[in-house]
Each structure stands twice: as C-alpha cells, then as structure tokens.
C-alpha cells in the first residue's frame, strides 16, 4: 500500500487556507445577485415558496426549516436539544424525549436528515435525523413538524453514517463512526486493532405510525463507518457505507489513518441478513438504551429503557457483506437514482471513484476477490469500477443527483461544486462556493425521483459574505439554479448552527396537510382543563397542581393563594383557542426553567418551586391580542408553616 507523506497533509491544509481566504478584501462589483438572479429568488409578499428545505443544525442539535428559493427560515424544530422558545425539553411532557442510558442529555450534534419514501419517492410522512454524539435517531412528523420519537443506538459512538432510509422506509439505518469495544468494557486503547467493533444498526419503521424498533445490529470490523446510502431500484436490498481508518489506528489519525492507498465501501445485503434474522439467526446481547415516544393525543412523552439487542456476525451470513476498495479515505457514499452507480468521494483523492452495481454482482458471482478482511471478501477494484471522474478539484466530499442524469459533487479544499455526467464521467460545469463547501442538497436528490431545479451548497466558512458579528458567524448556504446546462449562483443566506446534510421536497407535498391546531375534543392529557369547570387547584402533600386554562385574554384561575415555600407547583395549562396561529405563552417569575409556548388545544406543564414568601406574577409571553398585556395573574406564597388554605379565583 502506498503511504501518504506528512508534507502532503500540510499542502492540503495550505490549500484550504488559500481557498477559504483567497477572495478576502476583494470588492463585489456586481454584487451577489444580478437582476435576473434576484427575480428567480424573489417571493412576493403574501406568496409562498416552491420547496421546503430541512437543514440539520449540527451542534444546535435541532432541525431548521427553510423555503426555497427565498432562503427564508420558517421554523427551528427542537429535536435533541432543549429549546426555551417553546419549552421543549423543559416542560414535564417533553423532558422524557431527552432521556438516555446516560441520563438526561439536553444536547446533541444533528447531521443527516432523510425524508420517508415509498417506492423510492418522497412521501412526506416523516423526516428522520441522527444525533451524532449520544447515538440517537429521531423521527419528526411532517404534519405537525414536531419530534415524535427518539431511539438511542447502543454499541455505537459517533453515530455519523446515519440516518438514511431504505426506499420503502422499511429501515432507518445508523452506522457508528467510532469503533468501540462491544460490549463496552475496561481495556487498553492500544488493544484497539482487532478488538473494537463497528456496529451498523438497522431500525425498522412501522409503516402505519412510524414507530421505530431496533431490529438488528451488524457487528463489523473496527473501521470508521463514515457515511452511507441505500441501494435503490435494481440495488434495493443493499446498503453502502464508506469506511476510513482501515489501518485501525487509535492516535494521530490525520497521519496514521491515511496510510492505506485504498479504504473500502462496505456493501451490505440487508435483505439476506433480514432473512437470516427472521429465521432465528443472530445473538441477543444485553444492552441498555432509551426509547422515547411522544403521544399526540396525551401531548406527553414516555421513556422506556430497552435491555437487549440482536447482533449479527457478518461471517455467519455468507454472501451478505463485501468490501469494495475505494481511494482515499472516502467520506460521502452516494447512490444514483437508478441504483446502478455507487460514488465514493475520497477526500484525499482528486478523482471520484464510481462503482457499478452490476459489476459488483458479477464479481461476486465470479468470486473475483482480492483477499479478505476479518473474514469479509474484498472485491477486486478493477472488477467493480464503473469509471472515474477526473475533476481537477481538491477534497471531494458529497454527491447529489438531478433528474437529467447529472451529478453534482462538492470539493471542500478547492471550494466548488462540480457538475458531471453520470455514465460518461465528463465534467460539464463547475462553480465556486464561498467558502469550503461541505454537503449539498437537491430536493429529492437522495431518491429515485429528484427535483432538479435547485442545489443548495452548505459552506463551512463564511468570512466576508455577511456583515461581521464578532468572532462567531452563522454558516453560509448558497442557492444555485441547475435547470440549465450551466449552474447559476442565485443567492446567499445564513443558516443556524452548522448544517451538515439537508433534505428537500416540493411544498405541495407537505403544505396541504400541515396541522393547524390540536382539537380540544381529542385532547387526552390527564391534567387537561378542557372547560372552565375543569379549572381548579389541588394539594397533594407538598405538591400543588394547578389545572389552568388560557384564552384571549386571561388565565383561569388568575389569582392563587395558599401556596407555601417548599411546595412544588405544577401548572397544567390548556390553551382553549381553536383558531390557527393563536398560541399562548406562560412564564412565572423565578422559574428555574423556560417559558412554555402552548399551541391551540394543547396542554403543557411547567414546574415552579417558590423559595421566598411574597406575591409573584405570571403572564402570557406571546402577544396574542390587543389586551395581551392584561393577560397576567398572581400567586401568593406564604411561609412553609402557614395555615392559609388553598384558594383560587378569576374576576373576584
């Protein structure tokens, strides 16, 4: 195997610096937009965008929703992180969503959203996204745009090659980036090689309600499984994962994990493994992981700890797993809409490697192997190669596809998007990005039916693109028109957190079914006050439960007495509005938590533990009417030894 020199890494680092900074100080004589480009992104007041775009939030832990072509941000959907804007992760109903085997974890690093599919086409039911740090997969409803389910992934670390779905949403797949001891145990880090494992998790999805269940884990050799995508069309039933660190280094990976001339794409025949499992194959292993589910009727989440997982040794399922040699520390692993071509984006290679699914099957049939790794056959590179794209770029990372047989690849170091023809491997066009582009997204570009009008490039470095805001700046996304032969840069827009991947779909797929309210007559929350006759205050020891309602422009009750220092006060608040876009907020002075934002027909609970006697106000935080300022109330708090009885009122 050829070895990369340390000096080469230094040169690549310098190339990054120059590519990122080369335009510093230059004036924009014609600006970012020409008049024709401005017309293409302009959405007139009162009109709506053509596409939804869902951008991962990276270290925000959440998912942001944008419109295309305008670049307007519509919503941040809280997923893995507490979110004081709505009270997600603070309300008693949503705290269980952030439970894990490590306890309550109020943050994560969200990376790769993927929209549910039927027959390889977007169906708009759910969107899935991975938590990278504490390995988790979340499912978000595309009717309510709220997180409905989170499942923790055991035996995993750095849950990066996730969360990608099979073409009928049979499975959402999660691969570990960091190999770890399985099961976890105290052992020397220097014993990594040959002893650590990389778990690839196949999580089944119930087609009726989307409920997830960890079906099986494939325990692979201890490489780093970086990214993945499913087969589709003719390759449906297979899944493909890029690997790096096939050297199994455990220190100074920038050098020691870059020694091999080729790493692998792992080709997994999940249909064959599924059959093996369904026939009783696999080994049950003790585990401990959380499964958190939000009930839309009770408006409440529950957390259940699971205690075992079914594991599969790939060597026990002949014909299920193969390695495809791929240069050089491949990052992105992308499959074209036909399912024929598997693209390995080798980040230390100037060329793109494209494997052929048909050639792979022929090589397997002909047993054209070039050795094995831990009992898994390695196919000969030349026998699975479809072609190479001689791009001339530096640092290829990710590829998406349009509906005209073209592919688009990002190059991080040379800061550009390169368009090339699938099948001929000819470079058609290239456009610079500003700066150091990572992922890109074409709506439907990860499906059998892409919508080839726009590509969004998500850049890692912003520098001079916007007015400066101190050392920290939002990341920059750029929108390109790809409807013609040549790409046209239309627009820059800032993004929140650090977007990695994104998913997009036509607005008409989601907008007509978007939920507007929660119906009061369907509210099954155990503490809901569905009418004014249900409002009351009850004491249970040192717990005080306030059954409260809210409507423009008052709380019921709005005066409460008899609360004592040391009590734990639960405000169970139901919004009685049944009109779209009339939420109400609730905040109590001295709360050691966030405010709550409560949608029409919804019930949420906030806890307050008063520490000082006095008369303390609460109020509505969301401007709801002309009398919003009057929407307030008081709680009287007496000393712990007080004999004052509980009382409550409205209008007295």
């Amino acid at each position: 195997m050829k070895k990369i020199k340390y000096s080469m890494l230094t040169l690549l680092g310098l190339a990054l610096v120059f590519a990122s900074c080369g335009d510093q100080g230059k004036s924009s004589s014609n600006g970012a937009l020409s008049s024709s480009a401005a017309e293409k992104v302009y959405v007139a007041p009162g009109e709506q965008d053509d596409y939804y775009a869902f951008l991962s939030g990276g270290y925000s832990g959440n998912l942001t929703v944008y419109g295309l072509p305008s670049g307007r941000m519509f919503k941040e959907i809280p997923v893995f992180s507490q979110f004081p804007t709505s009270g997600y992760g603070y309300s008693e109903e949503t705290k269980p969503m952030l439970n894990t085997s490590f306890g309550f974890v109020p943050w994560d690093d969200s990376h790769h959203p993927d929209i549910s599919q039927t027959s390889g086409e977007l169906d708009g039911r759910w969107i899935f996204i991975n938590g990278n740090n504490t390995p988790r997969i979340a499912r978000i409803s595309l009717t309510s745009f709220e997180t409905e389910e989170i499942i923790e992934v055991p035996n995993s670390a750095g849950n990066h090659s996730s969360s990608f779905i099979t073409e009928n949403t049979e499975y959402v797949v999660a691969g570990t980036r960091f190999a770890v001891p399985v099961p976890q145990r105290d052992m020397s880090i220097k014993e990594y090689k040959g002893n650590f494992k990389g778990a690839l998790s196949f999580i089944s999805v119930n087609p009726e309600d989307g409920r997830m269940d960890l079906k099986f884990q494939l325990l692979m050799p201890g490489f780093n499984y970086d990214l993945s995508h499913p087969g589709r069309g003719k390759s449906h039933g297979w899944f493909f994962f890029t690997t790096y660190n096939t050297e199994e280094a455990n220190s100074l990976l920038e050098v020691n994990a870059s020694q091999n001339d080729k790493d692998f794409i792992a080709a997994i025949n999940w249909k064959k493994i599924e059959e093996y499992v369904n026939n009783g194959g696999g080994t049950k292993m003790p585990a401990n992981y959380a499964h958190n589910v939000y009930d839309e009727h009770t408006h409440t989440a529950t957390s259940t700890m699971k205690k075992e997982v079914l594991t599969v040794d790939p060597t026990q399922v002949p014909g299920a797993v193969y390695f495809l040699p791929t240069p050089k520390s491949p990052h992105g692993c992308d499959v074209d809409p036909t399912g024929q071509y598997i693209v390995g984006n080798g980040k230390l290679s100037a060329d793109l490697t494209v494997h052929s699914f048909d050639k792979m099957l022929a090589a397997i049939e002909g047993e054209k192997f070039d050795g094995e790794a831990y009992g898994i056959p390695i196919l000969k590179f030349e026998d699975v190669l479809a072609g190479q794209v001689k791009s001339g770029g530096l640092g290829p990372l990710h590829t998406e596809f349009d509906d005209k047989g073209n592919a688009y690849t990002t190059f991080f170091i040379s800061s550009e998007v390169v368009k090339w023809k699938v099948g001929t491997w000819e470079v058609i066009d290239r456009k610079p990005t500003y700066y150091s582009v990572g992922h890109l997204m074409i709506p439907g570009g990860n499906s059998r039916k892409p919508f080839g009008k726009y590509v969004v490039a998500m850049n890692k470095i912003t520098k001079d693109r916007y007015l400066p805001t101190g050392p920290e700046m939002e990341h920059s996304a750029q929108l390109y028109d790809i409807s013609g032969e040549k790409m046209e840069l239309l627009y820059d827009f800032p993004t929140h957190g650090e977007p990695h991947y994104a998913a997009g779909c036509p607005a008409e797929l989601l907008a007509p079914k978007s939920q507007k309210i929660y119906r009061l007559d369907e509210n099954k929350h155990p503490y809901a006050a569905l009418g004014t006759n249900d409002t009351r205050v009850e004491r249970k020891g040192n717990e005080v439960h306030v059954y409260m309602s809210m409507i423009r422009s008052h709380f019921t009750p709005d005066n409460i007495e008899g609360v004592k220092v040391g009590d734990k006060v639960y405000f169970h608040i139901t919004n009685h509005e049944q009109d779209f876009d009339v939420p109400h907020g609730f905040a109590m002075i001295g709360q050691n938590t966030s405010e709550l934002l409560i949608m029409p027909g919804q019930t949420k609970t906030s806890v307050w533990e008063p520490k000082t006697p006095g008369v303390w106000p609460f109020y509505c935080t969301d401007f709801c009417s002309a009398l919003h300022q009057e929407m307030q109330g008081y709680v009287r708090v007496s000393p712990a030894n007080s004999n004052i009885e509980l009382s409550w009122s409205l209008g007295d």
Side-chain angles (χ1 to χ4, degrees):
M1 292 290 193
K2 191 187 300 180
K3 294 189 175 182
I4 188 166
K5 302 298 184 184
Y6 203 108
S7 59
M8 177 61 180
L9 293 172
T10 304
L11 287 172
L12 291 178
L14 288 172
L16 169 60
V17 172
F18 291 133
S20 302
C21 303
D23 283 359
Q24 292 289 302
K26 292 184 180 179
S27 62
S28 299
S29 58
N30 58 354
L33 295 175
S34 67
S35 59
S36 62
E39 291 171 0
K40 290 180 179 180
V41 300
Y42 179 67
V43 177
E47 295 186 2
Q48 297 180 344
D49 284 278
D50 296 327
Y51 293 89
Y52 283 99
F54 299 88
L55 276 64
S56 66
Y59 43 65
S60 81
N62 295 328
L63 183 68
T64 47
V65 187
Y66 292 79
L68 298 179
S70 73
R72 298 177 295 188
M73 191 178 96
F74 300 145
K75 181 174 183 175
E76 182 171 356
I77 301 173
V79 184
F80 299 114
S81 294
Q82 287 182 299
F83 194 61
T85 299
S86 65
Y88 178 86
Y90 291 97
S91 72
E92 295 302 292
E93 290 80 5
T94 57
K95 283 180 182 177
M97 294 298 286
L98 302 182
N99 187 42
T100 76
S101 62
F102 302 94
F104 182 80
V105 178
W107 169 87
D108 216 310
D109 181 17
S110 61
H111 276 236
H112 306 125
D114 208 7
I115 297 171
S116 58
Q117 299 180 16
T118 301
S119 300
E121 298 184 11
L122 306 183
D123 60 29
R125 291 176 293 168
W126 310 291
I127 187 167
F128 301 85
I129 193 166
N130 59 317
N132 188 48
N133 183 61
T134 303
R136 290 174 280 181
I137 299 292
R139 177 178 57 83
I140 298 152
S141 166
L142 289 180
T143 300
S144 65
F145 286 62
E146 299 290 347
T147 303
E148 291 189 331
E149 186 177 12
I150 296 176
I151 189 168
E152 191 178 0
V153 184
N155 299 325
S156 183
N159 175 39
H160 193 259
S161 47
S162 320
S163 50
F164 300 105
I165 60 165
T166 55
E167 69 168 27
N168 287 299
T169 320
E170 300 98 335
Y171 293 98
V172 55
V173 178
T176 186
R177 177 177 159 204
F178 308 129
V180 292
V182 177
Q184 274 286 9
R185 57 195 182 276
D186 180 18
M187 63 181 294
S188 172
I189 298 171
K190 293 181 179 179
E191 295 176 16
Y192 176 122
K193 191 166 187 175
N195 293 308
F196 286 23
K197 296 291 184 183
L200 307 181
S201 304
F202 285 74
I203 300 166
S204 64
V205 180
N206 186 302
E208 299 301 320
D209 59 11
R211 192 68 59 87
M212 297 185 289
D213 183 60
L214 181 47
K215 177 88 170 182
F216 62 86
Q217 286 188 320
L218 188 65
L219 297 184
M220 294 285 285
F223 309 149
N224 293 49
Y225 296 85
D226 201 5
L227 276 163
S228 67
H229 269 104
R232 52 180 60 96
K234 62 166 55 186
S235 57
H236 175 57
W238 290 79
F239 226 95
F240 303 94
F241 295 80
T242 48
T243 72
Y244 68 99
N245 193 25
T246 52
E247 299 86 350
E248 296 180 85
N250 62 272
S251 181
L252 194 62
L253 265 64
E254 64 176 334
V255 176
N256 295 325
S258 302
Q259 300 297 305
N260 292 340
D261 188 53
K262 293 182 178 69
D263 293 281
F264 301 123
I265 286 178
I268 312 296
N269 187 333
W270 61 263
K271 284 276 193 182
K272 186 178 286 288
I273 299 171
E274 180 185 59
E275 181 182 11
Y276 170 78
V277 166
N278 289 342
N279 288 328
T283 302
K284 289 185 178 180
M285 176 183 291
N288 187 37
Y289 61 101
H291 186 194
N292 310 326
V293 179
Y294 182 83
D295 187 312
E296 64 177 5
H297 299 294
T298 64
H299 305 173
T300 302
T302 56
S303 180
T304 304
M305 298 306 298
K306 301 283 190 173
K307 294 301 181 182
E308 67 178 15
V309 62
L310 184 65
T311 62
V312 175
D313 178 347
T315 64
Q316 298 302 306
V317 192
V321 183
Y322 298 91
F323 286 136
L324 284 60
T326 307
K328 164 104 177 135
S329 295
H331 184 57
C333 180
D334 302 291
V335 180
D336 85 305
T338 70
Q340 172 64 269
Y341 298 113
I342 304 106
V343 182
N345 303 272
K347 58 184 181 284
L348 297 180
S349 173
D351 301 330
L352 294 177
T353 297
V354 185
H355 297 300
S356 163
F357 180 71
D358 285 346
K359 285 189 173 184
M360 184 192 82
L361 293 183
I364 293 170
E365 180 70 22
E367 298 185 352
K368 295 179 179 179
F369 302 142
D370 190 16
E372 54 85 25
Y374 295 101
I376 297 171
I378 302 171
L379 299 174
K380 289 184 178 179
F381 177 70
E382 296 78 9
D383 289 319
V384 296
L385 182 67
Q388 291 181 303
V389 181
K390 304 289 185 180
S391 67
L394 291 173
L397 292 184
H398 303 283
T399 300
E400 289 269 288
F401 304 90
D402 67 15
D403 55 349
K404 305 176 187 68
N406 301 308
Y408 302 76
T409 299
T410 57
F411 287 79
F412 177 79
I413 296 174
S414 51
S415 288
E416 59 184 335
V417 175
V418 173
K419 176 181 179 180
W420 51 276
K421 191 69 177 177
V422 176
T424 69
W425 326 124
E426 172 194 4
V427 172
I428 299 170
D429 191 23
R430 60 197 323 132
K431 284 290 185 291
T433 63
Y434 305 95
Y435 303 95
S436 298
V437 62
H439 278 274
L440 76 168
M441 183 275 288
I442 294 171
N446 177 32
S447 75
R448 293 176 69 175
K449 185 182 177 182
F451 301 89
K453 188 172 184 181
Y454 302 113
V455 63
V456 178
M458 286 155 277
N459 302 309
K460 298 300 184 185
I461 296 175
T462 303
K463 291 194 180 291
D464 57 359
R465 300 305 285 182
Y466 309 124
L467 289 172
T469 55
E472 180 186 359
M473 298 187 70
E474 295 281 37
H475 287 234
S476 172
Q478 294 181 300
L479 181 72
Y480 296 80
D481 181 346
I482 59 170
S483 59
E485 184 73 6
K486 299 295 184 181
M487 296 179 283
E488 181 186 5
L489 175 60
L490 299 179
Y491 192 52
D492 285 23
F493 61 95
T495 57
H496 189 56
E498 185 198 0
H500 291 265
Y501 193 40
C505 66
E508 62 189 17
L509 186 64
L510 305 183
K513 66 176 186 178
S514 183
Q515 186 170 346
K516 291 181 168 56
I517 64 169
Y518 295 94
R519 288 173 52 117
L520 274 172
D521 59 1
E522 295 177 354
N523 185 332
K524 305 302 181 186
H525 193 293
Y527 292 97
L530 300 181
T532 54
N533 292 336
D534 298 323
T535 59
R536 61 195 185 277
V537 182
E538 295 179 347
R539 177 178 289 281
K540 297 178 181 178
N542 71 333
E543 290 185 359
V544 175
H545 291 265
V546 180
Y547 296 73
M548 179 179 283
S549 67
M550 56 195 339
I551 196 167
R552 288 169 287 186
S553 298
H554 62 270
F555 297 94
T556 304
D558 65 0
N559 280 197
I560 301 168
E561 300 197 14
V563 173
K564 303 175 186 180
V565 171
D567 282 344
K568 195 170 187 177
V569 183
Y570 292 81
F571 293 94
H572 309 289
I573 312 161
T574 303
N575 182 347
H576 279 190
E577 307 286 355
Q578 291 289 269
D579 190 11
F580 177 45
D581 198 23
V582 189
H584 291 296
F586 176 84
M588 181 79 215
I589 189 171
Q591 271 180 309
N592 298 120
T593 182
S594 78
E595 61 104 31
L596 298 182
L597 193 63
I598 306 167
M599 297 300 113
Q602 190 176 42
T603 301
K604 288 186 179 180
T605 300
S606 184
V607 174
W608 178 53
E609 299 184 63
K611 299 175 177 62
T612 307
V615 178
W616 306 108
F618 57 86
Y619 69 102
C620 176
T621 56
D622 188 275
F623 203 102
C624 54
S625 73
L627 296 176
H628 164 76
Q629 296 295 83
E630 284 74 13
M631 194 167 174
Q632 66 176 66
Y634 289 100
V635 178
R636 176 185 175 185
V637 177
S638 301
N641 59 359
S642 170
N643 293 321
I644 296 176
E645 294 293 323
L646 275 181
S647 63
W648 61 94
S649 62
L650 171 70
D652 292 346

